[in-house]
Amino acid sequence: MKHLEHNPLLYSLDNITNNISVGDQNSTECAQIMIPHELFLTLGLISLVENILVVLAIIKNRNLHSPMYYFICCLAVSDMLVSVSNVVETMFMLLTEHGLLVVTPHMMKHLDNVIDIMICSSVVSSLSFLSTIAADRYITIFYALRYHSIMTTQRAVAVIVIIWLASTISSTLFIVYYKDNAVIVCLVTFFFITLVFTAVLYLHMFILAHVHSRRIIAFHKSRRQATSMKGAITLTILLGVFIICWGPFFLHLILILTCPKSPYCTCFFSHFNLFLILIICNSLIDPLIYAYRSQELRKTLKELVLCSWCFVM
């Protein structure tokens, strides 16, 4: 993933930009920022540990056994895919560079395919679960009395299974047909569709919730709505962080389709490693948002950290 020539999907995209003339390359000087492999490895390990703790906390605490936290757990697993793929690839690169591991081109190709599928599955599943959580919060706020009959555990599990199956199958197809520009078009289109869908739901939620809050008198109902709105705000923060961290990557894809030979676009392409750092940072920041916004989850995470610390000591 870090070296485009080692990544089938990104390599096919990079081939387009390699067709620019020498004159175009000289017309715009772009200093490529070199990021050490150790930084990738460190961030990947930290984000991996954080997301594992989130998953364990949700499993451990029965108070967190609700559809929304099931979806958050899956979102953490999606982030783990990025972390695992980053750690595995970085370790392979470090070991081969120091002569401690000999990898044949055939093995490297299969490894790259697996890593590409994990990355694609992560972005597709993350977008899907963000949209699903938005829908869940929407139902919680506007269909509060029917929520438990609408969003049952069985339905939540069915949604999770469907999303993971669709993410895995679509990601595999993306890698198989990585040479086709339709793959990039599909990824970018899916990105914007899910963003628009989620934005519309949130806009409707915040507008109507503001109006309804003036009409609610009963304490238990106002408390329920406040809790639901807190969940909606949390997911708004998650969505904003996702856009900031993944936005440059999708802009990279869009520019490859629209201006692959432009020297200015080529300059943007040269900072691809920075985009990868942002993607890893998204996996690192999400667990901090979960812990900051949920007191129950924060309490359980503290217990897990203390237990693991006592076990090590």
Side-chain angles (χ1 to χ4, degrees):
M1 186 76 174
K2 296 170 202 59
H3 293 297
L4 295 182
E5 65 270 16
H6 289 160
N7 188 293
L9 176 59
L10 299 179
Y11 174 63
S12 66
L13 305 181
D14 192 49
N15 281 338
I16 302 174
T17 62
N18 286 337
N19 292 326
I20 60 176
S21 63
V22 176
D24 288 335
Q25 290 179 347
N26 294 331
S27 62
T28 304
E29 295 182 1
C30 297
Q32 186 172 3
I33 301 176
M34 302 302 296
I35 300 176
H37 298 320
E38 290 77 10
L39 179 59
F40 280 100
L41 183 61
T42 302
L43 293 177
L45 288 173
I46 294 173
S47 63
L48 179 60
V49 172
E50 286 182 352
N51 285 287
I52 289 175
L53 287 174
V54 169
V55 173
L56 292 176
I58 293 175
I59 294 174
K60 180 179 182 293
N61 193 334
R62 290 180 177 272
N63 293 330
L64 300 177
H65 291 185
S66 63
M68 188 188 78
Y69 280 102
Y70 293 155
F71 298 142
I72 288 179
C73 183
C74 291
L75 199 58
V77 174
S78 298
D79 288 335
M80 284 171 59
L81 290 177
V82 173
S83 304
V84 170
S85 62
N86 172 68
V87 169
V88 170
E89 186 183 20
T90 304
M91 289 183 65
F92 264 85
M93 293 173 66
L94 288 173
L95 290 174
T96 52
E97 284 180 3
H98 290 82
L100 301 176
L101 180 66
V102 178
V103 182
T104 63
H106 184 69
M107 290 175 56
M108 183 59 70
K109 181 179 179 181
H110 283 293
L111 175 63
D112 286 335
N113 286 337
V114 173
I115 290 174
D116 283 349
I117 291 174
M118 292 175 68
I119 294 294
C120 288
S121 296
S122 174
V123 64
V124 173
S125 59
S126 293
L127 284 169
S128 300
F129 283 118
L130 285 171
S131 298
T132 303
I133 296 172
D136 177 78
R137 294 298 86 196
Y138 186 88
I139 296 172
T140 305
I141 292 173
F142 297 111
Y143 300 93
L145 299 179
R146 298 172 51 200
Y147 174 77
H148 293 292
S149 61
I150 296 175
M151 187 57 72
T152 62
T153 302
Q154 291 79 6
R155 286 178 180 172
V157 172
V159 169
I160 291 171
V161 171
I162 290 172
I163 289 176
W164 280 118
L165 282 176
S167 299
T168 304
I169 293 172
S170 60
S171 299
T172 304
L173 291 175
F174 287 160
I175 302 308
V176 171
Y177 299 101
Y178 70 91
K179 293 183 180 180
D180 196 334
N181 282 345
V183 170
I184 307 177
V185 174
C186 289
L187 280 172
V188 173
T189 302
F190 182 70
F191 176 72
F192 283 109
I193 288 176
T194 52
L195 288 187
V196 170
F197 172 78
T198 307
V200 169
L201 286 185
Y202 280 143
L203 185 62
H204 194 203
M205 274 191 285
F206 287 122
I207 291 176
L208 291 187
H210 178 70
V211 174
H212 288 182
S213 63
R214 298 181 178 180
R215 302 176 182 175
I216 294 175
I217 300 175
F219 170 77
H220 71 280
K221 292 193 68 177
S222 62
R223 184 179 179 182
R224 177 186 299 169
Q225 189 184 48
T227 303
S228 301
M229 285 306 301
K230 184 178 180 181
I233 293 172
T234 300
L235 270 300
T236 303
I237 297 172
L238 288 171
L239 183 64
V241 171
F242 184 90
I243 294 172
I244 292 172
C245 293
W246 281 91
F249 173 77
F250 280 97
L251 179 58
H252 178 96
L253 299 183
I254 294 171
L255 293 180
I256 283 176
L257 290 175
T258 56
C259 59
K261 296 184 179 181
S262 168
Y264 299 103
C265 293
T266 305
C267 183
F268 185 82
F269 300 151
S270 66
H271 301 305
F272 188 78
N273 278 349
L274 288 178
F275 310 156
L276 297 183
I277 287 290
L278 282 175
I279 291 173
I280 298 171
C281 286
N282 178 71
S283 302
L284 191 146
I285 295 171
D286 281 353
L288 301 179
I289 297 173
Y290 307 147
Y292 177 75
R293 297 291 300 176
S294 173
Q295 183 178 0
E296 189 72 27
L297 182 58
R298 185 166 61 250
K299 176 185 174 183
T300 308
L301 285 172
K302 288 180 180 179
E303 293 175 358
L304 286 174
V305 172
L306 289 175
C307 288
S308 60
W309 178 259
C310 293
F311 180 77
V312 172
M313 297 299 291

